[in-house]
Amino acid sequence: MSLKHHHRGGGGGGVEMSGSKSFVSKKWTFLLCIGFFCAGTLFSDRMWPEPEANVASREAASDERLLHLVSDDCDSSKKTSLGEVYKSPDAIQTLDKTISTLEMELAAAKAAQESIVNGSPVSDEFKVPQTATKRKYLMVVGINTAFNSRKRRDSVRATWMPPGEERKKLEEEKGIVMRFVIGHSATPGGILDRAIQAEESKHGDFLRLDHVEGYLELSAKTKSYFSTAFALWDADFYVKVDDDVHVNIATLGAELARYRMKPRVYIGCMKSGPVLAQKGVRYHEPEYWKFGEEGNKYFRHATGQLYAISRELASYISINQNVLHKYVNEDVSLGSWFLGLDVEHVDDRRLCCGTTDCEWKAQAGNMCVASFDWSCSGICRSAVRMKDVHRRCGEGRDALIAASF
């Protein structure tokens, strides 16, 4: 009996002790399980990857939205492209003008820099105004002249070149600039330069170049003229004419205005004369061997009495003036500079009428732009005969006033 009691007591005490321990362990185990469950739930929400189906559907939706946006952009681009195609002439013209403006500013800066480097002061006339205030002109007419041509200049002033205030009014109202073009003598500041300065003070109609005058330097003078005129005036066309040629300015302006929409135009009486290899003859070509066999002819180029080039070509000359080759004949040089370029050559015979036929052409309503004698490469004895040619072949004093370009 006592043995059984002892066994039960011992067993009961053991069970009771075990139960107490079990009760504590289960309690803490239960709490730990709840804590781990909560932590696992939180962890799985943040880190557990989405099901592939959900990812695929979400990516598909994103791709669909992207395709929709791209489609809208493409449609918009197509509309814009078609609109630009329809507007392409205006767009191209605007782009050409922008490029030309930038080239003009570059050329002006280069010209000013070269003058400073060479030690030549930049005159007030050569100082280029800001582009924003620079007005647009139809044409700049440069009348090539020499130190000993005072009587020729006076004959031009008395006939087809408006004087003083009329000339300034022509610039403002019609956009036509006219200047006698001359450089300086081999001794700057000498008697020849002082005579030109006095004449300039009286008439105010000269464009002075940083160039040494000389007959064999006409090609260099031509480059200098176009570069300087391009830097000073923003014009559609730049014209070179000799001081022994009669010009109808209104007719010239109307003729050039026809080609305003064409970017690279070279206008004149085109010719292709023989290359003269024999020394001592007029217009001898020292570099005749470059043109092939003896007896060959030059490429097509405008005769030197009068020609006109568009703004883009003047810009090309200005930018590349240091590398453009000079032949002894300036009209050949000018034509050579445009070889290899996409230039339209316009052969206009009204720019080289004879003084014997300009009168009846004017009476027939086919007014000549320029008139001269081929035998003299200008009007023979022009200082004396210019008034007579103007009377017979001139367009009249009111032509410029009534002209609209």
Side-chain angles (χ1 to χ4, degrees):
M1 178 97 176
S2 62
L3 289 172
K4 291 181 181 179
H5 178 79
H6 175 79
H7 175 75
R8 182 176 296 177
V15 170
E16 184 177 353
M17 187 176 297
S18 301
S20 176
K21 292 180 180 179
S22 176
F23 174 77
V24 173
S25 300
K26 288 180 180 180
K27 179 179 179 181
W28 283 104
T29 301
F30 178 73
L31 292 175
L32 289 173
C33 287
I34 292 175
F36 284 136
F37 176 76
C38 294
T41 303
L42 181 63
F43 181 79
S44 63
D45 286 343
R46 293 188 177 182
M47 301 298 294
W48 197 264
E50 290 184 60
E52 291 183 1
N54 292 339
V55 174
S57 62
R58 183 173 296 181
E59 289 180 350
S62 178
D63 290 343
E64 184 177 355
R65 287 194 299 271
L66 181 60
L67 288 173
H68 180 69
L69 291 174
V70 172
S71 176
D72 289 344
D73 289 342
C74 289
D75 291 340
S76 176
S77 297
K78 288 178 181 178
K79 292 177 182 178
T80 303
S81 298
L82 288 174
E84 291 299 325
V85 169
Y86 294 138
K87 299 176 183 178
S88 58
D90 294 335
I92 292 174
Q93 183 182 0
T94 301
L95 181 60
D96 282 342
K97 288 183 177 180
T98 301
I99 293 173
S100 296
T101 300
L102 293 174
E103 290 176 338
M104 179 179 63
E105 293 175 354
L106 176 62
K110 283 185 175 180
Q113 183 181 20
E114 288 179 0
S115 296
I116 295 173
V117 171
N118 294 332
S120 301
V122 182
S123 66
D124 291 337
E125 184 179 20
F126 193 75
K127 290 178 181 177
V128 183
Q130 295 296 324
T131 305
T133 61
K134 203 168 189 178
R135 65 154 294 174
K136 185 76 174 179
Y137 296 91
L138 170 64
M139 62 181 179
V140 176
V141 181
I143 308 167
N144 185 43
T145 192
F147 288 112
N148 61 351
S149 298
R150 172 64 186 265
K151 291 183 178 180
R152 286 186 179 183
R153 291 191 292 273
D154 286 340
S155 71
V156 170
R157 293 183 182 112
T159 54
W160 58 269
M161 181 181 184
E165 293 302 321
E166 290 184 32
R167 180 173 51 80
K168 294 180 181 179
K169 188 176 180 181
L170 184 65
E171 294 181 12
E172 295 299 323
E173 296 183 358
K174 305 297 182 180
I176 298 176
V177 177
M178 302 174 67
R179 296 287 190 278
F180 288 106
V181 180
I182 196 168
H184 57 81
S185 67
T187 55
I191 186 171
L192 296 176
D193 292 301
R194 292 200 302 271
I196 292 296
Q197 188 59 44
E199 195 175 342
E200 163 67 9
S201 299
K202 180 179 179 180
H203 298 284
D205 53 8
F206 279 92
L207 171 60
R208 300 300 302 273
L209 303 178
D210 184 14
H211 164 79
V212 179
E213 287 290 322
Y215 180 77
L216 296 179
E217 296 298 327
L218 287 179
S219 292
K221 185 177 182 179
T222 300
K223 281 201 299 184
S224 180
Y225 159 62
F226 283 123
S227 299
T228 306
F230 178 76
L232 289 172
W233 296 286
D234 181 11
D236 290 322
F237 297 95
Y238 299 84
V239 181
K240 177 263 176 183
V241 59
D242 290 338
D243 61 3
D244 56 354
V245 174
H246 180 269
V247 182
N248 286 317
I249 294 296
T251 306
L252 173 61
E255 185 66 15
L256 295 183
R258 296 171 49 200
Y259 301 97
R260 259 179 165 165
M261 300 303 293
K262 297 186 177 182
R264 291 169 298 279
V265 187
Y266 173 32
I267 307 171
C269 290
M270 298 296 164
K271 65 176 183 178
S272 182
V275 179
L276 301 178
Q278 183 180 352
K279 291 183 179 181
V281 299
R282 192 180 187 187
Y283 306 128
H284 164 64
E285 178 56 71
E287 298 180 88
Y288 61 90
W289 60 272
K290 290 184 177 180
F291 299 92
E293 301 299 326
E294 187 174 347
N296 281 357
K297 292 185 176 182
Y298 287 112
F299 40 79
R300 286 284 174 182
H301 61 279
T303 186
Q305 284 80 7
L306 185 149
Y307 46 71
I309 61 175
S310 59
R311 174 185 176 185
E312 286 74 5
L313 295 182
S315 170
Y316 174 80
I317 293 174
S318 178
I319 294 171
N320 298 284
Q321 57 181 306
N322 292 330
V323 296
L324 294 176
H325 184 70
K326 302 185 297 291
Y327 291 99
V328 67
N329 299 308
E330 51 98 6
D331 53 353
V332 173
S333 293
L334 183 71
S336 72
W337 298 337
F338 302 147
L339 291 177
L341 302 182
D342 186 12
V343 175
E344 180 176 352
H345 290 59
V346 178
D347 183 18
D348 191 338
R349 309 315 290 184
R350 294 201 301 161
L351 273 64
C352 54
C353 294
T355 59
T356 57
D357 56 6
C358 60
E359 183 176 7
W360 66 262
K361 287 183 178 180
Q363 294 173 352
N366 186 25
M367 186 68 66
C368 289
V369 172
S371 304
F372 57 90
D373 299 312
W374 281 103
S375 59
C376 297
S377 297
I379 297 176
C380 299
R381 298 182 296 112
S382 65
V384 177
R385 296 184 56 235
M386 184 68 76
K387 287 185 178 180
D388 176 64
V389 175
H390 184 68
R391 178 185 58 80
R392 294 185 293 105
C393 305
E395 58 195 357
R397 292 184 59 87
D398 296 333
L400 267 177
I401 299 174
S404 175
F405 308 112

